[in-house]
Amino acid sequence: MRLRTPTLFLVASVAVNAGLVALVLFKAPFVFQAASYGAATPTPAVAIPQASPAASIPAFLASLDKGDMKTLADRLRAAGASRELTRALLFERANMLLYERKKDLAAQLVPQPYWSHKFGRLDPKFLSAMNAIYKEQGDMVNALMGPDPGNPNDDPLNGALMANQRGGVPQADSDRVQSIENDYNQMKNDLAMKNSGAWLPDDTARMAYLEGEEKKDLRSALSPERYLEYQMRNSPTASSLRDSMQVFGPTEGEFRAVFKAQADFDEQYGPQFGVTTPEQREAREAHQSDLAASIESALGPDRYAQYKVESDLSYINTTNLVDRMGLPPATTQQITAVQSDITKRADGIQNDATLSAAEKARQLAALGEEANTKITAALGSDGMSVYKQSAGWWLDRLKPSTK
């Protein structure tokens, strides 16, 4: 069941959906600039039919500053102004009607010192009030013009990007999804700002509840097929998989199969990245082998073996480093072979009960020297320095224990 809370949009989202054209043309002020923004900003001119005498133009422009927003809309339509320009001017008029409220709210902002960790963060109540004003501004325009069809999709570039992101989901369904996500993002942002990073059990439970309710609402807004397509393009699970499979290079069929396995696992045991309860984390750890078996079944034994190697973060970072340095791709396999060999030998030393602690430390240090020599030979000294930071954390296992 969807939570019955006020619909709150992030400022950026409101500006895009309610009046991007107006913001670009007139640079409508952000709330923090309200103190320096005058109410007497001149109203931009509109297109006047060629038949209108030049002498009538000043009078026509003056008339635009009189009457309510509906009267302004009627006059602009009668003058032949385009829908886009009419919407832009109405958005600016709504901005001016709400100016005093913005100014009053701006006075309530408590500035945080730039040396404080709170600098740039807004109190949740202030943020909610600010978002409510911007939402009202958009609603005032939409009440006269109807929802802005396609904005920012009116821009061919934005339209192409958003269509790709929707993945075949119609615009109307996408708008419903966006509204749902805006609602829940606001509530989740409020919760995250409230706890300042100190997540209590109640906070974790609340976040898990919100994420569960969000999924329910998204499923109710879309058919099962469209929900799947949308999730494969926009969910955290999909984003994480794209990152981890960037070197592996899956086919479409492979990506869909692995996504299905990972999404089912995340649905059952909590998200891979995000706020989870201790019980969820314990369950995820206990059932990792089940996930591995599902992915192996989806990919087949040969591709799964390749996937295991090439989805490892160390392997991905090594590949990116090798590519950045312009070295042959085989360099990655060379370094990975060194890592595999050294790690296997280090495990043997650690598990050898006949060796004293001092002897283990000596032999591990020798392996560390060997690894450094071989990888430096492949990457050079500068490359080795970067490798240690981005992919060489396994080398720390070869250092003598401080205990």
Side-chain angles (χ1 to χ4, degrees):
M1 179 177 180
R2 187 163 182 190
L3 301 181
R4 299 302 177 187
T5 59
T7 302
L8 299 174
F9 294 82
L10 296 178
V11 174
S13 178
V14 173
V16 167
N17 292 323
L20 182 63
V21 176
L23 288 175
V24 172
L25 290 178
F26 310 116
K27 304 187 186 302
F30 187 61
V31 64
F32 301 134
Q33 299 172 331
S36 61
Y37 185 81
T41 302
T43 302
V46 298
I48 306 299
Q50 292 297 316
S52 299
S56 69
I57 293 178
F60 177 82
L61 292 178
S63 74
L64 295 181
D65 267 337
K66 299 177 181 178
D68 56 20
M69 287 184 60
K70 183 178 184 306
T71 301
L72 173 60
D74 292 341
R75 286 172 175 163
L76 288 168
R77 292 189 185 103
S82 68
R83 177 181 176 85
E84 292 78 10
L85 184 55
T86 300
R87 175 176 287 276
L89 290 169
L90 287 174
F91 190 81
E92 178 65 7
R93 173 61 62 84
N95 177 63
M96 299 312 302
L97 292 174
L98 294 169
Y99 171 79
E100 290 300 325
R101 280 179 56 190
K102 292 182 180 182
K103 186 176 179 181
D104 290 342
L105 181 61
Q108 300 174 34
L109 176 66
V110 179
Q112 299 295 334
Y114 67 86
W115 59 89
S116 168
H117 75 284
K118 294 183 178 181
F119 181 69
R121 299 180 62 181
L122 298 178
D123 176 80
K125 292 182 179 179
F126 182 94
L127 182 61
S128 295
M130 183 172 67
N131 288 335
I133 290 176
Y134 279 108
K135 179 182 181 298
E136 182 175 347
Q137 186 172 348
D139 290 345
M140 292 168 69
V141 178
N142 290 338
L144 294 170
M145 301 291 294
D148 194 359
N151 186 18
N153 292 313
D154 286 340
D155 184 305
L157 291 176
N158 283 331
L161 291 173
M162 294 182 70
N164 178 66
Q165 187 176 2
R166 289 197 305 268
V169 175
Q171 179 67 47
D173 287 345
S174 180
D175 289 343
R176 284 195 292 272
V177 167
Q178 189 63 60
S179 176
I180 291 170
E181 291 183 340
N182 283 339
D183 284 346
Y184 281 99
N185 284 340
Q186 181 62 55
M187 289 185 281
K188 289 188 285 188
N189 286 341
D190 288 348
L191 178 59
M193 293 181 68
K194 177 182 177 181
N195 63 44
S196 300
W199 289 85
L200 300 177
D202 286 349
D203 297 326
T204 302
R206 173 67 175 168
M207 182 63 76
Y209 173 76
L210 289 175
E211 291 181 344
E213 291 298 299
E214 181 178 11
K215 288 179 180 179
K216 290 179 184 178
D217 286 353
L218 289 174
R219 283 195 173 98
S220 69
L222 301 171
S223 68
E225 295 78 13
R226 288 175 177 171
Y227 176 78
L228 176 62
E229 295 301 322
Y230 189 84
Q231 290 297 97
M232 281 194 295
R233 290 161 176 80
N234 300 281
S235 67
T237 296
S239 178
S240 175
L241 280 181
R242 281 189 286 270
D243 285 341
S244 66
M245 300 173 81
Q246 60 182 276
V247 176
F248 176 69
T251 64
E252 180 182 4
E254 288 174 334
F255 180 84
R256 295 178 76 92
V258 174
F259 174 85
K260 177 71 165 56
Q262 185 70 62
D264 289 348
F265 187 82
D266 291 350
E267 184 78 19
Q268 187 170 1
Y269 301 113
Q272 182 176 9
F273 299 104
V275 179
T276 54
T277 65
E279 293 76 16
Q280 286 177 316
R281 291 192 291 273
E282 183 178 344
R284 283 187 66 90
E285 185 64 27
H287 292 86
Q288 283 295 322
S289 59
D290 296 339
L291 175 61
S294 297
I295 295 177
E296 183 174 11
S297 176
L299 294 177
D302 293 339
R303 281 290 276 172
Y304 177 69
Q306 183 179 352
Y307 168 80
K308 281 184 63 178
V309 172
E310 296 182 355
S311 63
D312 178 75
L313 182 58
S314 178
Y315 187 93
I316 293 172
N317 288 347
T318 301
T319 301
N320 291 337
L321 175 59
V322 166
D323 180 67
R324 178 67 180 84
M325 296 181 68
L327 297 171
T331 307
T332 299
Q333 284 70 40
Q334 178 185 346
I335 295 172
T336 301
V338 171
Q339 177 182 352
S340 178
D341 174 58
I342 295 292
T343 300
K344 183 177 180 180
R345 289 157 62 189
D347 288 341
I349 294 171
Q350 293 281 24
N351 296 328
D352 190 342
T354 67
L355 299 177
S356 66
E359 181 59 20
K360 287 182 179 181
R362 187 191 68 79
Q363 292 190 27
L364 289 174
L367 284 182
E369 288 295 328
E370 180 182 343
N372 272 274
T373 299
K374 290 181 176 180
I375 298 176
T376 300
L379 295 177
S381 57
D382 290 343
M384 180 60 180
S385 177
V386 176
Y387 176 81
K388 287 181 178 179
Q389 299 176 42
S390 63
W393 49 80
W394 62 274
L395 294 169
D396 292 337
R397 296 180 54 199
L398 307 176
K399 296 178 181 179
S401 174
T402 57
K403 295 182 179 179

